[in-house]
Amino acid sequence: MALLADDWKYAAKQFVKAYSRDVIVHCSDSNCSTLTFDGVDIMGTRLAEEVLSVIKQHPHLQKISFVCHSLGGLVSRYAIAKLYEQGSARRACGEEMECSLNGSTNLCVEEVSKRKIAGLEPMNFITCATPHLGCRGHKQAPAFCGLYTLEKVASSSSWLLGRSGRHLFLKDCDEGKPPLLLRMASDSEDLPFISALQSFKRRVAYANTSFDYLVGWSTSSLRRRNELSKCRNLKKGDKYPHIVNVDEATSVSNQEETPTEAKINGRKSNEMEEAMIRGLTKLSWERVDVSFKGSKQRYFAHTTIQVTNYCFNSDGADVIQHMIDNFAV
């Protein structure tokens, strides 16, 4: 299992306690400090190389999972596309089932797709407060208060955050291609982004409903803004006091539309956002809504959801426990 960055130290300890015999936890360090400005693609490539290196050190590994926070979720989505492998195997259609092929009697077989990530069985792909739809406009970055002027200024200043900023604000157009996050909402000519995601047994999106000033509820939960109202005024539970809603794994979009270059060029941000939602929600996602309303740590919701530092983010411990209790091994 790969956990991104040292900020996951608390969670890593809890996973080891819960699955001491079943899980090897690795906290990635290939994209720390100023390297986070290099762009989702470069960071994703570095992460993929790091994962391969870790696997070589543990040749007995059979399964792989990713637990990611914020930008790390996008980086991991890129990395798994780099690591994705698809092969096929042949198996019997049923016990003692025979069929006639070319006049002879043979055991009936079928082709079975074998999807793997770096040669391992993909299990859990979990993101926390990840801007899956980017941060461009439409209250996707609550710090701008939904004000068009502030969002426009932030978008035009995205270069200050390097290539990563251009990716997050959908301002990149490398070699005339659509923005990277748009391409990552489908299998592109570059990489099989959706096929890689689809290979995992579970896909889970944890999202802050409020007080996360960096990543909005919509972009982190893969929902349209008009769908959020259905999830408001929810009650907290006893076992996980800061989890207010859990949507079981369901796919939302059935449309065949994909964000191809011909359709995307020239689109406005709301149209690009819709294309990303349609592409990503063709897969089933478990959505877990988190609220730190009433907590003294609510203003640090973005880091509390992952318990970056236990002294300041301890209220997020129940979120980590929820991950552990529902983890597929």
Side-chain angles (χ1 to χ4, degrees), residues 247-283:
D247 284 347
E248 298 300 328
T250 55
S251 55
V252 177
S253 298
N254 296 315
Q255 297 94 331
E256 293 299 320
E257 179 181 347
T258 54
T260 60
E261 183 172 353
K263 296 177 182 177
I264 291 303
N265 284 343
R267 280 191 170 186
K268 297 179 180 179
S269 57
N270 61 331
E271 295 173 324
M272 292 190 287
E273 182 181 305
E274 177 63 20
M276 285 186 283
I277 289 178
R278 289 187 177 187
L280 291 169
T281 58
K282 285 180 179 178
L283 306 179

PDB file of all heavy atoms in Angstrom, residues 247-283:
ATOM      1  N   ASP A 247     -22.099   7.396   0.567  1.00  0.00           N
ATOM      2  CA  ASP A 247     -22.806   6.914  -0.618  1.00  0.00           C
ATOM      3  C   ASP A 247     -22.108   5.661  -1.112  1.00  0.00           C
ATOM      4  O   ASP A 247     -20.900   5.681  -1.388  1.00  0.00           O
ATOM      5  CB  ASP A 247     -22.802   7.970  -1.726  1.00  0.00           C
ATOM      6  CG  ASP A 247     -23.791   9.093  -1.459  1.00  0.00           C
ATOM      7  OD1 ASP A 247     -24.629   8.925  -0.558  1.00  0.00           O
ATOM      8  OD2 ASP A 247     -23.707  10.129  -2.138  1.00  0.00           O
ATOM      9  N   GLU A 248     -22.857   4.589  -1.203  1.00  0.00           N
ATOM     10  CA  GLU A 248     -22.273   3.335  -1.665  1.00  0.00           C
ATOM     11  C   GLU A 248     -21.803   3.470  -3.115  1.00  0.00           C
ATOM     12  O   GLU A 248     -22.199   4.389  -3.833  1.00  0.00           O
ATOM     13  CB  GLU A 248     -23.292   2.197  -1.538  1.00  0.00           C
ATOM     14  CG  GLU A 248     -23.734   1.935  -0.102  1.00  0.00           C
ATOM     15  CD  GLU A 248     -22.581   1.559   0.809  1.00  0.00           C
ATOM     16  OE1 GLU A 248     -21.623   0.915   0.313  1.00  0.00           O
ATOM     17  OE2 GLU A 248     -22.630   1.888   2.003  1.00  0.00           O
ATOM     18  N   ALA A 249     -20.987   2.535  -3.532  1.00  0.00           N
ATOM     19  CA  ALA A 249     -20.390   2.601  -4.861  1.00  0.00           C
ATOM     20  C   ALA A 249     -21.441   2.500  -5.959  1.00  0.00           C
ATOM     21  O   ALA A 249     -22.107   1.481  -6.094  1.00  0.00           O
ATOM     22  CB  ALA A 249     -19.365   1.487  -5.026  1.00  0.00           C
ATOM     23  N   THR A 250     -21.597   3.569  -6.707  1.00  0.00           N
ATOM     24  CA  THR A 250     -22.499   3.582  -7.855  1.00  0.00           C
ATOM     25  C   THR A 250     -21.880   4.417  -8.961  1.00  0.00           C
ATOM     26  O   THR A 250     -21.188   5.398  -8.697  1.00  0.00           O
ATOM     27  CB  THR A 250     -23.876   4.183  -7.518  1.00  0.00           C
ATOM     28  OG1 THR A 250     -23.689   5.499  -6.967  1.00  0.00           O
ATOM     29  CG2 THR A 250     -24.619   3.321  -6.514  1.00  0.00           C
ATOM     30  N   SER A 251     -22.121   4.014 -10.196  1.00  0.00           N
ATOM     31  CA  SER A 251     -21.700   4.834 -11.330  1.00  0.00           C
ATOM     32  C   SER A 251     -22.867   5.737 -11.681  1.00  0.00           C
ATOM     33  O   SER A 251     -24.022   5.335 -11.596  1.00  0.00           O
ATOM     34  CB  SER A 251     -21.299   3.962 -12.524  1.00  0.00           C
ATOM     35  OG  SER A 251     -22.341   3.091 -12.866  1.00  0.00           O
ATOM     36  N   VAL A 252     -22.559   6.961 -12.077  1.00  0.00           N
ATOM     37  CA  VAL A 252     -23.599   7.958 -12.316  1.00  0.00           C
ATOM     38  C   VAL A 252     -23.850   8.185 -13.792  1.00  0.00           C
ATOM     39  O   VAL A 252     -24.973   8.300 -14.234  1.00  0.00           O
ATOM     40  CB  VAL A 252     -23.213   9.291 -11.638  1.00  0.00           C
ATOM     41  CG1 VAL A 252     -24.255  10.355 -11.930  1.00  0.00           C
ATOM     42  CG2 VAL A 252     -23.057   9.094 -10.136  1.00  0.00           C
ATOM     43  N   SER A 253     -22.803   8.248 -14.573  1.00  0.00           N
ATOM     44  CA  SER A 253     -22.941   8.612 -15.976  1.00  0.00           C
ATOM     45  C   SER A 253     -22.986   7.380 -16.866  1.00  0.00           C
ATOM     46  O   SER A 253     -22.187   6.471 -16.718  1.00  0.00           O
ATOM     47  CB  SER A 253     -21.772   9.512 -16.407  1.00  0.00           C
ATOM     48  OG  SER A 253     -21.773  10.706 -15.667  1.00  0.00           O
ATOM     49  N   ASN A 254     -23.922   7.367 -17.782  1.00  0.00           N
ATOM     50  CA  ASN A 254     -24.018   6.292 -18.760  1.00  0.00           C
ATOM     51  C   ASN A 254     -23.740   6.783 -20.173  1.00  0.00           C
ATOM     52  O   ASN A 254     -23.721   6.022 -21.122  1.00  0.00           O
ATOM     53  CB  ASN A 254     -25.418   5.656 -18.718  1.00  0.00           C
ATOM     54  CG  ASN A 254     -25.695   4.986 -17.391  1.00  0.00           C
ATOM     55  OD1 ASN A 254     -24.849   4.283 -16.869  1.00  0.00           O
ATOM     56  ND2 ASN A 254     -26.879   5.221 -16.843  1.00  0.00           N
ATOM     57  N   GLN A 255     -23.542   8.098 -20.297  1.00  0.00           N
ATOM     58  CA  GLN A 255     -23.341   8.666 -21.620  1.00  0.00           C
ATOM     59  C   GLN A 255     -22.044   8.180 -22.228  1.00  0.00           C
ATOM     60  O   GLN A 255     -21.062   7.924 -21.539  1.00  0.00           O
ATOM     61  CB  GLN A 255     -23.320  10.211 -21.551  1.00  0.00           C
ATOM     62  CG  GLN A 255     -24.632  10.792 -21.070  1.00  0.00           C
ATOM     63  CD  GLN A 255     -24.600  11.020 -19.559  1.00  0.00           C
ATOM     64  OE1 GLN A 255     -23.908  10.322 -18.840  1.00  0.00           O
ATOM     65  NE2 GLN A 255     -25.354  11.997 -19.120  1.00  0.00           N
ATOM     66  N   GLU A 256     -22.041   8.074 -23.539  1.00  0.00           N
ATOM     67  CA  GLU A 256     -20.839   7.645 -24.243  1.00  0.00           C
ATOM     68  C   GLU A 256     -19.897   8.808 -24.526  1.00  0.00           C
ATOM     69  O   GLU A 256     -18.806   8.609 -25.016  1.00  0.00           O
ATOM     70  CB  GLU A 256     -21.226   6.972 -25.574  1.00  0.00           C
ATOM     71  CG  GLU A 256     -21.964   5.657 -25.393  1.00  0.00           C
ATOM     72  CD  GLU A 256     -21.125   4.638 -24.656  1.00  0.00           C
ATOM     73  OE1 GLU A 256     -19.915   4.561 -24.930  1.00  0.00           O
ATOM     74  OE2 GLU A 256     -21.668   3.925 -23.801  1.00  0.00           O
ATOM     75  N   GLU A 257     -20.348  10.008 -24.208  1.00  0.00           N
ATOM     76  CA  GLU A 257     -19.536  11.183 -24.504  1.00  0.00           C
ATOM     77  C   GLU A 257     -18.236  11.139 -23.723  1.00  0.00           C
ATOM     78  O   GLU A 257     -18.203  10.864 -22.529  1.00  0.00           O
ATOM     79  CB  GLU A 257     -20.285  12.468 -24.136  1.00  0.00           C
ATOM     80  CG  GLU A 257     -19.468  13.728 -24.404  1.00  0.00           C
ATOM     81  CD  GLU A 257     -20.222  14.983 -24.007  1.00  0.00           C
ATOM     82  OE1 GLU A 257     -21.426  14.899 -23.771  1.00  0.00           O
ATOM     83  OE2 GLU A 257     -19.574  16.040 -23.957  1.00  0.00           O
ATOM     84  N   THR A 258     -17.138  11.408 -24.415  1.00  0.00           N
ATOM     85  CA  THR A 258     -15.840  11.489 -23.771  1.00  0.00           C
ATOM     86  C   THR A 258     -15.205  12.823 -24.134  1.00  0.00           C
ATOM     87  O   THR A 258     -15.475  13.388 -25.191  1.00  0.00           O
ATOM     88  CB  THR A 258     -14.915  10.351 -24.244  1.00  0.00           C
ATOM     89  OG1 THR A 258     -14.842  10.374 -25.676  1.00  0.00           O
ATOM     90  CG2 THR A 258     -15.435   9.003 -23.791  1.00  0.00           C
ATOM     91  N   PRO A 259     -14.340  13.335 -23.260  1.00  0.00           N
ATOM     92  CA  PRO A 259     -13.754  14.654 -23.503  1.00  0.00           C
ATOM     93  C   PRO A 259     -12.650  14.627 -24.551  1.00  0.00           C
ATOM     94  O   PRO A 259     -11.482  14.723 -24.250  1.00  0.00           O
ATOM     95  CB  PRO A 259     -13.204  15.038 -22.127  1.00  0.00           C
ATOM     96  CG  PRO A 259     -12.916  13.738 -21.466  1.00  0.00           C
ATOM     97  CD  PRO A 259     -13.957  12.791 -21.969  1.00  0.00           C
ATOM     98  N   THR A 260     -13.027  14.446 -25.817  1.00  0.00           N
ATOM     99  CA  THR A 260     -12.045  14.423 -26.886  1.00  0.00           C
ATOM    100  C   THR A 260     -11.580  15.826 -27.216  1.00  0.00           C
ATOM    101  O   THR A 260     -12.215  16.815 -26.877  1.00  0.00           O
ATOM    102  CB  THR A 260     -12.643  13.799 -28.165  1.00  0.00           C
ATOM    103  OG1 THR A 260     -13.762  14.593 -28.574  1.00  0.00           O
ATOM    104  CG2 THR A 260     -13.131  12.378 -27.896  1.00  0.00           C
ATOM    105  N   GLU A 261     -10.484  15.912 -27.914  1.00  0.00           N
ATOM    106  CA  GLU A 261      -9.892  17.208 -28.233  1.00  0.00           C
ATOM    107  C   GLU A 261     -10.848  18.067 -29.047  1.00  0.00           C
ATOM    108  O   GLU A 261     -10.981  19.259 -28.819  1.00  0.00           O
ATOM    109  CB  GLU A 261      -8.577  16.989 -29.001  1.00  0.00           C
ATOM    110  CG  GLU A 261      -7.858  18.292 -29.320  1.00  0.00           C
ATOM    111  CD  GLU A 261      -6.485  18.026 -29.906  1.00  0.00           C
ATOM    112  OE1 GLU A 261      -6.069  16.860 -29.926  1.00  0.00           O
ATOM    113  OE2 GLU A 261      -5.847  19.002 -30.331  1.00  0.00           O
ATOM    114  N   ALA A 262     -11.548  17.473 -30.003  1.00  0.00           N
ATOM    115  CA  ALA A 262     -12.443  18.245 -30.863  1.00  0.00           C
ATOM    116  C   ALA A 262     -13.572  18.889 -30.070  1.00  0.00           C
ATOM    117  O   ALA A 262     -14.015  19.986 -30.379  1.00  0.00           O
ATOM    118  CB  ALA A 262     -13.017  17.336 -31.943  1.00  0.00           C
ATOM    119  N   LYS A 263     -14.047  18.202 -29.047  1.00  0.00           N
ATOM    120  CA  LYS A 263     -15.166  18.718 -28.272  1.00  0.00           C
ATOM    121  C   LYS A 263     -14.731  19.717 -27.213  1.00  0.00           C
ATOM    122  O   LYS A 263     -15.484  20.588 -26.823  1.00  0.00           O
ATOM    123  CB  LYS A 263     -15.897  17.552 -27.589  1.00  0.00           C
ATOM    124  CG  LYS A 263     -16.545  16.588 -28.560  1.00  0.00           C
ATOM    125  CD  LYS A 263     -17.182  15.438 -27.797  1.00  0.00           C
ATOM    126  CE  LYS A 263     -17.799  14.418 -28.748  1.00  0.00           C
ATOM    127  NZ  LYS A 263     -18.359  13.270 -28.008  1.00  0.00           N
ATOM    128  N   ILE A 264     -13.518  19.578 -26.725  1.00  0.00           N
ATOM    129  CA  ILE A 264     -13.082  20.375 -25.580  1.00  0.00           C
ATOM    130  C   ILE A 264     -12.528  21.738 -25.958  1.00  0.00           C
ATOM    131  O   ILE A 264     -12.753  22.714 -25.267  1.00  0.00           O
ATOM    132  CB  ILE A 264     -12.011  19.593 -24.781  1.00  0.00           C
ATOM    133  CG1 ILE A 264     -12.665  18.392 -24.117  1.00  0.00           C
ATOM    134  CG2 ILE A 264     -11.365  20.470 -23.733  1.00  0.00           C
ATOM    135  CD1 ILE A 264     -13.826  18.736 -23.208  1.00  0.00           C
ATOM    136  N   ASN A 265     -11.776  21.814 -27.046  1.00  0.00           N
ATOM    137  CA  ASN A 265     -11.131  23.075 -27.381  1.00  0.00           C
ATOM    138  C   ASN A 265     -12.139  24.220 -27.442  1.00  0.00           C
ATOM    139  O   ASN A 265     -13.153  24.139 -28.118  1.00  0.00           O
ATOM    140  CB  ASN A 265     -10.402  22.965 -28.732  1.00  0.00           C
ATOM    141  CG  ASN A 265      -9.099  22.187 -28.596  1.00  0.00           C
ATOM    142  OD1 ASN A 265      -8.600  22.005 -27.493  1.00  0.00           O
ATOM    143  ND2 ASN A 265      -8.557  21.761 -29.718  1.00  0.00           N
ATOM    144  N   GLY A 266     -11.844  25.289 -26.709  1.00  0.00           N
ATOM    145  CA  GLY A 266     -12.706  26.453 -26.725  1.00  0.00           C
ATOM    146  C   GLY A 266     -13.826  26.419 -25.715  1.00  0.00           C
ATOM    147  O   GLY A 266     -14.606  27.352 -25.609  1.00  0.00           O
ATOM    148  N   ARG A 267     -13.943  25.354 -24.960  1.00  0.00           N
ATOM    149  CA  ARG A 267     -15.022  25.261 -23.989  1.00  0.00           C
ATOM    150  C   ARG A 267     -14.763  26.144 -22.776  1.00  0.00           C
ATOM    151  O   ARG A 267     -13.628  26.437 -22.417  1.00  0.00           O
ATOM    152  CB  ARG A 267     -15.195  23.814 -23.512  1.00  0.00           C
ATOM    153  CG  ARG A 267     -15.976  22.945 -24.491  1.00  0.00           C
ATOM    154  CD  ARG A 267     -16.323  21.622 -23.839  1.00  0.00           C
ATOM    155  NE  ARG A 267     -17.256  20.862 -24.660  1.00  0.00           N
ATOM    156  CZ  ARG A 267     -17.811  19.735 -24.273  1.00  0.00           C
ATOM    157  NH1 ARG A 267     -17.539  19.245 -23.082  1.00  0.00           N
ATOM    158  NH2 ARG A 267     -18.644  19.086 -25.054  1.00  0.00           N
ATOM    159  N   LYS A 268     -15.850  26.515 -22.109  1.00  0.00           N
ATOM    160  CA  LYS A 268     -15.738  27.258 -20.870  1.00  0.00           C
ATOM    161  C   LYS A 268     -15.492  26.286 -19.734  1.00  0.00           C
ATOM    162  O   LYS A 268     -15.659  25.082 -19.871  1.00  0.00           O
ATOM    163  CB  LYS A 268     -17.019  28.062 -20.631  1.00  0.00           C
ATOM    164  CG  LYS A 268     -17.283  29.115 -21.704  1.00  0.00           C
ATOM    165  CD  LYS A 268     -18.575  29.864 -21.414  1.00  0.00           C
ATOM    166  CE  LYS A 268     -18.833  30.922 -22.479  1.00  0.00           C
ATOM    167  NZ  LYS A 268     -20.110  31.651 -22.229  1.00  0.00           N
ATOM    168  N   SER A 269     -15.122  26.839 -18.567  1.00  0.00           N
ATOM    169  CA  SER A 269     -14.746  25.977 -17.448  1.00  0.00           C
ATOM    170  C   SER A 269     -15.889  25.074 -16.999  1.00  0.00           C
ATOM    171  O   SER A 269     -15.674  23.925 -16.615  1.00  0.00           O
ATOM    172  CB  SER A 269     -14.254  26.825 -16.273  1.00  0.00           C
ATOM    173  OG  SER A 269     -15.243  27.752 -15.880  1.00  0.00           O
ATOM    174  N   ASN A 270     -17.145  25.569 -17.032  1.00  0.00           N
ATOM    175  CA  ASN A 270     -18.256  24.721 -16.592  1.00  0.00           C
ATOM    176  C   ASN A 270     -18.464  23.552 -17.547  1.00  0.00           C
ATOM    177  O   ASN A 270     -18.854  22.455 -17.138  1.00  0.00           O
ATOM    178  CB  ASN A 270     -19.540  25.542 -16.447  1.00  0.00           C
ATOM    179  CG  ASN A 270     -19.985  26.170 -17.750  1.00  0.00           C
ATOM    180  OD1 ASN A 270     -19.162  26.463 -18.608  1.00  0.00           O
ATOM    181  ND2 ASN A 270     -21.275  26.389 -17.892  1.00  0.00           N
ATOM    182  N   GLU A 271     -18.196  23.745 -18.836  1.00  0.00           N
ATOM    183  CA  GLU A 271     -18.338  22.661 -19.802  1.00  0.00           C
ATOM    184  C   GLU A 271     -17.224  21.637 -19.634  1.00  0.00           C
ATOM    185  O   GLU A 271     -17.452  20.426 -19.756  1.00  0.00           O
ATOM    186  CB  GLU A 271     -18.340  23.228 -21.221  1.00  0.00           C
ATOM    187  CG  GLU A 271     -19.555  24.115 -21.510  1.00  0.00           C
ATOM    188  CD  GLU A 271     -19.452  24.798 -22.862  1.00  0.00           C
ATOM    189  OE1 GLU A 271     -18.326  25.164 -23.256  1.00  0.00           O
ATOM    190  OE2 GLU A 271     -20.486  24.973 -23.509  1.00  0.00           O
ATOM    191  N   MET A 272     -16.015  22.124 -19.337  1.00  0.00           N
ATOM    192  CA  MET A 272     -14.909  21.202 -19.096  1.00  0.00           C
ATOM    193  C   MET A 272     -15.146  20.411 -17.820  1.00  0.00           C
ATOM    194  O   MET A 272     -14.871  19.208 -17.752  1.00  0.00           O
ATOM    195  CB  MET A 272     -13.594  21.987 -19.013  1.00  0.00           C
ATOM    196  CG  MET A 272     -13.168  22.601 -20.330  1.00  0.00           C
ATOM    197  SD  MET A 272     -11.489  23.269 -20.310  1.00  0.00           S
ATOM    198  CE  MET A 272     -11.723  24.747 -19.318  1.00  0.00           C
ATOM    199  N   GLU A 273     -15.684  21.082 -16.814  1.00  0.00           N
ATOM    200  CA  GLU A 273     -15.999  20.417 -15.554  1.00  0.00           C
ATOM    201  C   GLU A 273     -17.020  19.298 -15.768  1.00  0.00           C
ATOM    202  O   GLU A 273     -16.877  18.196 -15.247  1.00  0.00           O
ATOM    203  CB  GLU A 273     -16.540  21.453 -14.576  1.00  0.00           C
ATOM    204  CG  GLU A 273     -16.870  20.931 -13.201  1.00  0.00           C
ATOM    205  CD  GLU A 273     -17.414  22.028 -12.315  1.00  0.00           C
ATOM    206  OE1 GLU A 273     -16.725  23.064 -12.164  1.00  0.00           O
ATOM    207  OE2 GLU A 273     -18.528  21.874 -11.787  1.00  0.00           O
ATOM    208  N   GLU A 274     -18.047  19.577 -16.559  1.00  0.00           N
ATOM    209  CA  GLU A 274     -19.074  18.568 -16.833  1.00  0.00           C
ATOM    210  C   GLU A 274     -18.475  17.378 -17.578  1.00  0.00           C
ATOM    211  O   GLU A 274     -18.823  16.214 -17.301  1.00  0.00           O
ATOM    212  CB  GLU A 274     -20.202  19.191 -17.657  1.00  0.00           C
ATOM    213  CG  GLU A 274     -21.303  18.233 -18.075  1.00  0.00           C
ATOM    214  CD  GLU A 274     -22.073  17.637 -16.897  1.00  0.00           C
ATOM    215  OE1 GLU A 274     -22.034  18.226 -15.791  1.00  0.00           O
ATOM    216  OE2 GLU A 274     -22.699  16.583 -17.080  1.00  0.00           O
ATOM    217  N   ALA A 275     -17.573  17.648 -18.505  1.00  0.00           N
ATOM    218  CA  ALA A 275     -16.934  16.563 -19.248  1.00  0.00           C
ATOM    219  C   ALA A 275     -16.117  15.676 -18.318  1.00  0.00           C
ATOM    220  O   ALA A 275     -16.114  14.443 -18.449  1.00  0.00           O
ATOM    221  CB  ALA A 275     -16.049  17.139 -20.351  1.00  0.00           C
ATOM    222  N   MET A 276     -15.429  16.284 -17.348  1.00  0.00           N
ATOM    223  CA  MET A 276     -14.640  15.501 -16.396  1.00  0.00           C
ATOM    224  C   MET A 276     -15.541  14.651 -15.506  1.00  0.00           C
ATOM    225  O   MET A 276     -15.249  13.485 -15.236  1.00  0.00           O
ATOM    226  CB  MET A 276     -13.758  16.431 -15.555  1.00  0.00           C
ATOM    227  CG  MET A 276     -12.551  16.971 -16.304  1.00  0.00           C
ATOM    228  SD  MET A 276     -11.436  17.915 -15.248  1.00  0.00           S
ATOM    229  CE  MET A 276     -12.340  19.461 -15.092  1.00  0.00           C
ATOM    230  N   ILE A 277     -16.645  15.238 -15.033  1.00  0.00           N
ATOM    231  CA  ILE A 277     -17.576  14.489 -14.184  1.00  0.00           C
ATOM    232  C   ILE A 277     -18.130  13.289 -14.938  1.00  0.00           C
ATOM    233  O   ILE A 277     -18.179  12.173 -14.420  1.00  0.00           O
ATOM    234  CB  ILE A 277     -18.727  15.396 -13.696  1.00  0.00           C
ATOM    235  CG1 ILE A 277     -18.214  16.404 -12.664  1.00  0.00           C
ATOM    236  CG2 ILE A 277     -19.852  14.558 -13.096  1.00  0.00           C
ATOM    237  CD1 ILE A 277     -19.272  17.372 -12.174  1.00  0.00           C
ATOM    238  N   ARG A 278     -18.542  13.504 -16.187  1.00  0.00           N
ATOM    239  CA  ARG A 278     -19.112  12.405 -16.972  1.00  0.00           C
ATOM    240  C   ARG A 278     -18.097  11.293 -17.181  1.00  0.00           C
ATOM    241  O   ARG A 278     -18.426  10.108 -17.112  1.00  0.00           O
ATOM    242  CB  ARG A 278     -19.616  12.922 -18.311  1.00  0.00           C
ATOM    243  CG  ARG A 278     -20.871  13.782 -18.199  1.00  0.00           C
ATOM    244  CD  ARG A 278     -21.421  14.112 -19.576  1.00  0.00           C
ATOM    245  NE  ARG A 278     -22.650  14.873 -19.486  1.00  0.00           N
ATOM    246  CZ  ARG A 278     -23.408  15.181 -20.529  1.00  0.00           C
ATOM    247  NH1 ARG A 278     -23.038  14.788 -21.755  1.00  0.00           N
ATOM    248  NH2 ARG A 278     -24.521  15.877 -20.380  1.00  0.00           N
ATOM    249  N   GLY A 279     -16.857  11.686 -17.458  1.00  0.00           N
ATOM    250  CA  GLY A 279     -15.837  10.678 -17.690  1.00  0.00           C
ATOM    251  C   GLY A 279     -15.510   9.882 -16.443  1.00  0.00           C
ATOM    252  O   GLY A 279     -15.452   8.645 -16.466  1.00  0.00           O
ATOM    253  N   LEU A 280     -15.320  10.568 -15.314  1.00  0.00           N
ATOM    254  CA  LEU A 280     -14.901   9.909 -14.084  1.00  0.00           C
ATOM    255  C   LEU A 280     -16.026   9.112 -13.426  1.00  0.00           C
ATOM    256  O   LEU A 280     -15.785   8.089 -12.791  1.00  0.00           O
ATOM    257  CB  LEU A 280     -14.351  10.945 -13.098  1.00  0.00           C
ATOM    258  CG  LEU A 280     -13.015  11.575 -13.505  1.00  0.00           C
ATOM    259  CD1 LEU A 280     -12.689  12.765 -12.615  1.00  0.00           C
ATOM    260  CD2 LEU A 280     -11.895  10.537 -13.427  1.00  0.00           C
ATOM    261  N   THR A 281     -17.264   9.579 -13.553  1.00  0.00           N
ATOM    262  CA  THR A 281     -18.363   8.880 -12.887  1.00  0.00           C
ATOM    263  C   THR A 281     -18.971   7.770 -13.739  1.00  0.00           C
ATOM    264  O   THR A 281     -20.003   7.204 -13.382  1.00  0.00           O
ATOM    265  CB  THR A 281     -19.464   9.866 -12.445  1.00  0.00           C
ATOM    266  OG1 THR A 281     -19.973  10.588 -13.581  1.00  0.00           O
ATOM    267  CG2 THR A 281     -18.937  10.836 -11.406  1.00  0.00           C
ATOM    268  N   LYS A 282     -18.340   7.451 -14.852  1.00  0.00           N
ATOM    269  CA  LYS A 282     -18.705   6.218 -15.544  1.00  0.00           C
ATOM    270  C   LYS A 282     -18.242   5.018 -14.722  1.00  0.00           C
ATOM    271  O   LYS A 282     -18.728   3.915 -14.891  1.00  0.00           O
ATOM    272  CB  LYS A 282     -18.075   6.185 -16.938  1.00  0.00           C
ATOM    273  CG  LYS A 282     -18.762   7.115 -17.933  1.00  0.00           C
ATOM    274  CD  LYS A 282     -18.104   7.041 -19.293  1.00  0.00           C
ATOM    275  CE  LYS A 282     -18.807   7.964 -20.280  1.00  0.00           C
ATOM    276  NZ  LYS A 282     -18.157   7.941 -21.605  1.00  0.00           N
ATOM    277  N   LEU A 283     -17.291   5.284 -13.829  1.00  0.00           N
ATOM    278  CA  LEU A 283     -16.838   4.275 -12.885  1.00  0.00           C
ATOM    279  C   LEU A 283     -17.608   4.449 -11.581  1.00  0.00           C
ATOM    280  O   LEU A 283     -18.100   5.531 -11.270  1.00  0.00           O
ATOM    281  CB  LEU A 283     -15.338   4.433 -12.609  1.00  0.00           C
ATOM    282  CG  LEU A 283     -14.415   4.436 -13.822  1.00  0.00           C
ATOM    283  CD1 LEU A 283     -12.979   4.623 -13.361  1.00  0.00           C
ATOM    284  CD2 LEU A 283     -14.565   3.149 -14.620  1.00  0.00           C
TER     285      LEU A 283
END
